Structure formats: structure tokens, C-alpha cells
Amino acid sequence: MAKRQKDEEREYRIMMEAVVDAYCPEEQAIGWYCYLQDRIAFPFKARCIRERSISPLRKGEEVIAESMASEDDCMHEMFVMVKWKGRSMGLPLAQLEPINADEDTIESIGDWRYWVDRGYEFG
């Protein structure tokens, strides 16, 4: 996948709000977790925008995102707990696009997807 074009406004927000004062991979993961936990209004409806080998969702399928997964589960990638086909499970947040969510939810999930699409990693 080609890297997404650099967005200076998003870069600044991420550096000043999500990973500010994070000096190691664990601190960056915790920073992202707290940033998303504070800004995402759960529950919200979401659509799968990309398939992943670790997820049962197919592009276009919809789920209800209920909460962030545990902090321990988000030390390498951000996951959300969803309700899908009568089951609860964790899915990669970068796989989802919010539907009819509030502005902060849309922006913060967009920030995470931007981070992933740019090829950034904790570290």
C-alpha cells in the first residue's frame, strides 16, 4: 500500500495530543490509547474499509463499536471491541470507518488510520 500524503495539521495534532512526551514504544502506545479513549464516543456504527487476515470482516460489513479493547491488547496496535453477528470481539481500529459518529470520533479515528497509513509504528 502506498503511503498516504503528509498532512501537517494532523501530524501536529498527533504529536501534541497523542504521542506528546512519549519517549519509547510503550509510552507511544499508551498515549494513543488515552487519546482515542478520551475522544471516541462509544458506541458507534462502523463499516469495514479494508480486509485484514486477522479479522473476519469483509469490506463493507458493518459493526457496532462498543469500547476500546483493554490497554494490554493495544500495546502494538489499537483495537476496539465490537458487536458483530451476535458476538463480541476485538477488531483493528484501522480497519473501520465510523458511520454517523460525532466529529471528535471521526477525527480521532482518522488520526489513527493516518498514522497507520503513513507506515508509522510505536518506537
Side-chain angles (χ1 to χ4, degrees), residues 1-16:
M1 175 189 310
K3 283 189 181 178
R4 185 185 250 190
Q5 186 172 351
K6 196 166 192 174
D7 177 334
E8 294 299 335
E9 181 179 335
R10 216 176 266 282
E11 293 271 339
Y12 182 79
R13 184 173 48 253
I14 289 167
M15 293 308 295
M16 299 310 292

Side-chain angles (χ1 to χ4, degrees), residues 2 6 25 27 38 64 75 82 112 119 122:
K6 196 166 192 174
E27 289 176 354
D38 290 347
I64 301 296
M75 292 309 290
V82 303
W112 174 250
F122 300 138

Side-chain angles (χ1 to χ4, degrees), residues 14-34:
I14 289 167
M15 293 308 295
M16 299 310 292
E17 296 181 37
V19 295
V20 66
D21 296 328
Y23 301 104
C24 66
E26 292 81 16
E27 289 176 354
Q28 287 181 336
I30 291 167
W32 265 110
Y33 186 86
C34 292

